[in-house]
Amino acid sequence: MEIKIMDAIKNYLALVYGEKFNQDHLQQLTAMLDRARGEMTSPRKKGWDESDVVLITYADQFRAQGESRLATFTRFFNHYLRSTFSHVHLLPFYPWSSDDGFSVIDYHRVDPLNGDWDDVARLGQNARLMFDFVCNHMSAKSEWFKNYLHQQPGFEDFFIAMDPATDLHAVTRPRALPLLTPFTLASGEVKHLWTTFSDDQIDLNFASPRVLLAMVEVLLHYLKEGAQYVRLDAVGFMWKTPGTSCIHLEKTHLLVKLFRAVADYVAPGTVIITETNVPHKDNISYLGNGHDEAQMVYQFPLPPLVLHAIHTRNARTLCDWANTLGASRGETTWFNFLASHDGIGLNPLRGILPEAEILSLVEALQAEGARVNWKNNPDGSRSPYEINVTYMDALSTRACDDATRLARFLLAHAILLTFPGVPAVYIQSILGSRNDEEGVERLGYNRAINRQKYTEAEISQALNETGNLRHETWRQLSHLIHIRRSHAAFHPDSLFNAELINERVFVITRRASNGEVITALFNLGDTTQSFSFAGAERHDLISDVVINDAEITLAPWQTMWLSKA
């Protein structure tokens, strides 16, 4: 097996670099891989099952006086969340200069505020870990970039210099910011460098074998430090060819396959997850042939489609889309989520919903306090690409009472937990957070609305006081997750079917290989729904009630998970 994987690695290198990746480079790479494989001490879980549920969080989410943020988080996690989540996705916890961690200064260090690698290891004693591999770009404050500016030997081609007269109109732009940024070298020469996301996030030049070797070394370090899931951030932009869109290019896919092969060789069982906030067909292309590229892709259409369904009280679009997902591909599955540190992406809706309906959703959310980020289009126009809002506030109006707000929120998360794939829940969601308007004003960017940080004391007090929105969200969402984790029908690969009773009542059937069947009923409306539902006596796993009647009644926003009594 190891020989086959090494052959695949050599093949990908040849396809990407040709003779540029010479024998010296190959010897360096081989030595790195063999050394890293020898340092791996514990086996990893192969594949996934119904018990896998991921918590997405910042390492510095909670603070307590006199200790590292990771020490505080680990104590909080062990007390309140350990029995609920199998995995913790730590958003970038390295030294950084902007974008809340995604402008990495040093890939190999833990930000001293967060602690050190021993703190990471202590968290890993009670949860499997997921790290971010910020592979497309790094901070303008990094040593690598300083070495480039100072024209140090070995760094001449680490970043992408481009003549500003080059025709780059076809390049896909995720932000309404300049693509090229001028920087002055030590010699006084001005270079215009590729900056896809901001002038503090300098794109790495993967056309250089030296850059590839340096980034493989980063990946190997993360595997050694316990990363069992690895998220490839902004991976679609990794390879640049002027005259093209510079997104999803063939060599980008080859690099993802190379990273997958490296992980398979060094730490079998590692899961590579690609983060590509793009239309569905482009997103799933990163699953490759089902065996050679990412094992998971982010299910980006799910958050806005669930939001659209609850806003319109109509599940038809969500149901029709769900049935296009198809059966499991064996070695791949979905990484499902509703909320994350970023906003709710709109690009994945394009091709699923008419633009007029997308804009209507945006306007409705803006009217209730959500913020919107825009992107520039090649024709000079601009389009909304992201809504910034907590998922709690995205689902309801300001006028809603907390009971309605929570009911809609739990309905959305019951849908998340029922879908095929591995579900992930953002820390602000399990904490029942509302929009952080003060954070937006203080920090000056829209995404701060869903990135509030807390003292351990204040959040513990809220969770321990019964009756408030935070406590009830934590208690009831944890209850749903515990049920999901104990039933084989929710295995990511279990058979899946979606249908409508009517436009407001959405039904998902999950069927496990052991024969267990769970039928999930969702009322996406604000009125009670009653309907005949054939079948034997059923047990609602959520309410723990046995239903004998052939007629089912769902309260507004109610979910039932029905199994045979």
Side-chain angles (χ1 to χ4, degrees):
M1 177 62 74
E2 289 81 3
I3 294 174
K4 285 186 177 180
I5 296 174
M6 280 304 303
D7 286 344
I9 288 172
K10 292 174 183 177
N11 181 52
Y12 297 141
L13 291 169
L15 291 171
V16 174
Y17 296 103
E19 294 183 357
K20 278 182 65 178
F21 203 91
N22 59 36
Q23 195 61 33
D24 286 344
H25 296 135
L26 184 59
Q27 287 177 357
Q28 290 180 57
L29 179 62
T30 302
M32 287 163 53
L33 297 183
D34 288 339
R35 182 170 60 252
R37 189 168 62 160
E39 293 172 341
M40 299 302 298
T41 56
S42 58
R44 286 148 194 257
K45 179 178 179 178
K46 301 295 177 65
W48 36 77
D49 58 38
E50 63 277 6
S51 71
D52 295 324
V53 181
V54 181
L55 175 70
I56 305 169
T57 186
Y58 285 100
D60 64 347
Q61 186 62 55
F62 308 116
R63 63 188 183 275
Q65 191 170 1
E67 66 181 2
S68 70
R69 298 290 192 264
L70 272 168
T72 306
F73 177 82
T74 299
R75 180 173 57 250
F76 180 91
F77 176 83
N78 289 342
H79 186 75
Y80 293 99
L81 302 173
R82 176 182 173 183
S83 66
T84 304
F85 295 98
S86 60
H87 293 65
V88 174
H89 172 198
L90 287 176
L91 293 161
F93 50 87
Y94 328 111
W96 57 281
S97 56
S98 63
D99 200 14
D100 277 344
F102 285 88
S103 295
V104 179
I105 291 175
D106 187 339
Y107 290 113
H108 292 283
R109 293 177 56 230
V110 177
D111 189 319
L113 179 71
N114 294 327
D116 55 29
W117 287 111
D118 287 339
D119 288 304
V120 175
R122 278 187 282 272
L123 176 60
Q125 291 172 2
N126 293 315
R128 298 186 185 97
L129 300 179
M130 175 173 168
F131 292 179
D132 270 284
F133 184 23
V134 187
C135 51
N136 178 72
H137 51 263
M138 73 182 310
S139 170
K141 311 298 190 299
S142 67
E143 284 301 312
W144 290 5
F145 191 61
K146 290 177 183 177
N147 288 339
Y148 173 84
L149 294 180
H150 292 132
Q151 297 173 287
Q152 295 296 317
F155 289 88
E156 302 90 346
D157 58 354
F158 256 57
F159 305 94
I160 305 167
M162 188 67 52
D163 184 339
T166 305
D167 183 1
L168 299 173
H169 79 277
V171 174
T172 297
R173 301 295 296 117
R175 304 268 175 93
L177 294 168
L179 179 61
L180 301 180
T181 301
F183 291 93
T184 303
L185 304 183
S187 65
E189 182 183 4
V190 174
K191 293 279 191 179
H192 289 79
L193 300 182
W194 204 293
T195 52
T196 297
F197 292 96
S198 81
D199 59 6
D200 187 46
Q201 294 167 300
I202 319 299
D203 288 48
L204 288 153
N205 179 23
F206 275 93
S208 164
R210 286 183 291 196
V211 169
L212 178 75
L213 289 171
M215 294 304 282
V216 167
E217 187 174 26
V218 173
L219 175 58
L220 295 176
H221 185 191
Y222 294 168
L223 298 180
K224 178 184 173 183
E225 297 290 355
Q228 299 195 34
Y229 284 12
V230 178
R231 175 186 187 263
L232 303 185
D233 174 67
V235 68
F237 299 95
M238 232 179 355
W239 195 272
K240 282 80 173 175
T241 301
T244 73
S245 65
C246 296
I247 189 170
H248 315 313
L249 299 186
E250 180 184 3
K251 289 191 176 182
T252 291
H253 282 282
L254 288 169
L255 288 172
V256 176
K257 292 178 180 183
L258 177 61
F259 291 149
R260 160 74 182 270
V262 164
D264 284 347
Y265 183 79
V266 170
T270 302
V271 174
I272 299 295
I273 306 172
T274 50
E275 185 264 336
T276 50
N277 191 351
V278 294
H280 190 63
K281 67 179 180 62
D282 296 318
N283 189 31
I284 63 174
S285 70
Y286 287 86
L287 296 175
N289 65 12
H291 308 285
D292 65 345
E293 206 162 340
Q295 288 99 331
M296 295 185 197
V297 296
Y298 274 70
Q299 186 64 284
F300 277 106
L302 188 61
L305 282 175
V306 170
L307 189 57
H308 171 266
I310 292 176
H311 267 259
T312 61
R313 281 52 161 183
N314 189 325
R316 183 167 299 280
T317 301
L318 176 62
C319 181
D320 290 347
W321 170 79
N323 282 320
T324 69
L325 296 179
S328 168
R329 300 173 70 176
E331 294 182 22
T332 64
T333 194
W334 312 106
F335 189 82
N336 294 325
F337 72 109
L338 294 179
S340 75
H341 61 292
D342 289 338
I344 300 167
L346 298 172
N347 287 344
L349 285 181
R350 294 184 164 101
I352 300 174
L353 278 179
E355 191 68 18
E357 288 194 47
I358 296 174
L359 293 175
S360 176
L361 180 63
V362 170
E363 290 168 4
L365 288 164
Q366 274 189 303
E368 294 295 333
R371 310 301 174 96
V372 179
N373 286 327
W374 301 79
K375 70 181 182 73
N376 292 332
N377 300 318
D379 64 2
S381 64
R382 68 176 197 153
S383 303
Y385 79 85
E386 181 182 87
I387 303 168
N388 299 117
V389 61
T390 65
Y391 214 79
M392 178 73 77
D393 280 337
L395 292 165
S396 301
T397 67
R398 292 187 180 102
C400 283
D401 57 54
D402 278 353
T404 301
R405 185 172 283 112
L406 179 59
R408 291 179 180 175
F409 180 85
L410 292 171
L411 168 70
H413 282 79
I415 294 172
L416 166 72
L417 294 169
T418 308
F419 257 67
V422 172
V425 176
Y426 184 41
I427 187 70
Q428 303 292 350
S429 294
I430 194 72
L431 297 178
S433 298
R434 307 288 304 278
N435 286 342
D436 183 14
E437 299 285 356
E438 187 277 331
V440 175
E441 297 305 315
R442 176 169 47 85
L443 296 171
Y445 53 89
N446 289 345
R447 286 178 171 177
I449 203 168
N450 194 24
R451 296 180 177 181
Q452 189 172 1
K453 308 293 172 66
Y454 310 94
T455 66
E456 183 187 22
E458 69 178 314
I459 205 67
S460 296
Q461 180 179 357
L463 295 186
N464 286 324
E465 290 180 356
T466 59
N468 66 71
L469 183 62
R470 286 197 188 278
H471 172 86
E472 287 303 311
T473 302
W474 166 65
R475 184 181 68 83
Q476 295 190 49
L477 181 51
S478 296
H479 174 62
L480 289 178
I481 295 171
H482 281 274
I483 295 171
R484 181 224 153 78
R485 295 186 69 192
S486 61
H487 287 273
F490 291 121
H491 190 292
D493 298 341
S494 291
L495 295 178
F496 166 86
N497 181 67
E499 58 185 322
L500 297 178
I501 298 293
N502 57 54
E503 289 191 339
R504 294 193 173 193
V505 179
F506 180 40
V507 182
I508 291 176
T509 304
R510 301 296 308 276
R511 186 183 304 273
S513 58
N514 69 357
E516 183 186 40
V517 178
I518 291 178
T519 303
L521 306 175
F522 308 96
N523 179 7
L524 278 73
D526 53 3
T527 59
T528 298
Q529 298 287 315
S530 297
F531 48 90
S532 296
F533 196 76
E537 188 177 63
R538 301 295 180 100
H539 175 213
D540 176 23
L541 300 173
I542 298 173
S543 65
D544 197 24
V545 170
V546 174
I547 299 172
N548 298 306
D549 201 330
E551 185 169 88
I552 298 285
T553 298
L554 290 175
W557 319 113
Q558 185 180 359
T559 298
M560 287 184 178
W561 282 342
L562 300 180
S563 68
K564 289 183 180 179

